Amino acid sequence: MKDVSEPPAPPAPVRVMVVDDHPMWRDAVARDLAEAGHEVVATAGEGRAAVRIAAAARPQVAVVDLQLPDISGVEVARALAAPGEDGEPAVRVLVLSASGEQQDVLDAVKAGATGYLLKSAGREEFLDAVRRTAEGDAVFTPGLAGLVLGEYRRLAAVPRREDDDAPRLTDRETEVLRLVAKGLTYKQIAQRLVLSHRTVQNHVQNTLGKLQLHNRVELVRYAMEKGLDQD
């Protein structure tokens, strides 16, 4: 008997904004996204214009270059990724830059960028990064993830001045926090704990709220201070 089961539905297109001051590069990136089935809702060549346009275009992901003629891509990331009322970033930012300098990467992540990809990345690697960024995963060009984790560890070694009176986390929240501290993406955590991606995100947001922290950088630092990154 012939199998008449329906094939799985293709993933929904991601609403993307492209921010780059080089028109040819900007157009090429937008074209690759459109050909892959994504919806390019806006493009911009300047940072302030990008922030203004994003409020109306409402992209899920902004692909942002660091070198812009008015304000830096780091400032754009900070403005776009500011959390909304639900604690989620208004826009997830994927930096696409020619620079792999440590300070550039760290500044972008601390500003709220979800991922950082070098412009030397291949087309498929880039498109996969856009999809994963939309899902909330931290995406980095190979080698840069270790750099960011190393900075987390350095920050964790700096004593915090606040009193250690943080609210108690649930066992599940602690388990998720431990895996975040080890550098796992939300998708990897979901697979390991047999949870949905959204459930993992909710646990992280609840933990951020309880601990009065603002982003993943601060969360990982806290976890490392508590030794949660150790087996």
Side-chain angles (χ1 to χ4, degrees):
M1 185 174 179
K2 185 182 293 186
D3 184 4
V4 294
S5 60
E6 292 291 332
V14 178
R15 293 170 54 85
V16 188
M17 178 171 71
V18 181
V19 185
D20 196 295
D21 64 332
H22 291 88
M24 290 182 63
W25 181 268
R26 185 172 66 240
D27 293 346
V29 170
R31 183 170 59 251
D32 283 348
L33 288 164
E35 289 176 353
H38 298 304
E39 184 181 358
V40 180
V41 296
T43 63
E46 296 185 347
R48 291 191 180 92
V51 175
R52 184 175 65 254
I53 292 169
R58 302 179 64 82
Q60 296 168 267
V61 173
V63 177
V64 179
D65 188 16
L66 287 186
Q67 302 300 323
L68 299 171
D70 52 352
I71 62 176
S72 72
V74 169
E75 293 177 82
V76 174
R78 184 175 292 110
L80 296 183
E85 294 181 358
D86 60 355
E88 291 287 315
V91 181
R92 299 193 189 281
V93 175
L94 173 64
V95 171
L96 184 61
S97 174
S99 171
E101 292 296 320
Q102 174 174 332
Q103 197 58 54
D104 288 338
V105 178
L106 297 177
D107 286 348
V109 172
K110 290 174 183 177
T114 302
Y116 195 110
L117 208 63
L118 296 181
K119 285 187 173 181
S120 57
R123 181 178 184 274
E124 293 308 315
E125 182 182 0
F126 165 66
L127 294 173
D128 179 64
V130 169
R131 172 73 60 190
R132 290 172 58 197
T133 298
E135 294 173 350
D137 285 345
V139 185
F140 295 94
T141 291
L144 297 186
L147 182 156
V148 174
L149 188 58
E151 176 68 0
Y152 289 158
R153 294 184 184 281
R154 186 190 70 78
L155 289 174
V158 179
R160 293 167 64 98
R161 289 176 293 180
E162 304 96 298
D163 292 335
D164 189 11
D165 57 355
R168 181 178 297 276
L169 302 179
T170 67
D171 290 343
R172 179 64 86 184
E173 288 167 348
T174 300
E175 191 173 20
V176 170
L177 180 56
R178 185 186 305 277
L179 296 177
V180 169
K182 290 181 177 180
L184 273 68
T185 67
Y186 292 168
K187 182 181 295 184
Q188 290 169 330
I189 294 171
Q191 292 172 344
R192 178 171 296 194
L193 300 182
V194 195
L195 300 171
S196 71
H197 189 277
R198 172 58 61 181
T199 298
V200 172
Q201 287 182 311
N202 287 341
H203 282 311
V204 171
Q205 291 303 323
N206 289 341
T207 302
L208 286 170
K210 284 185 177 182
L211 300 178
Q212 297 184 354
L213 303 176
H214 300 94
N215 53 46
R216 187 183 177 108
V217 173
E218 294 181 358
L219 188 64
V220 174
R221 177 183 178 181
Y222 173 89
M224 288 181 172
E225 288 173 352
K226 302 302 181 185
L228 295 178
D229 62 317
Q230 304 300 319
D231 290 326

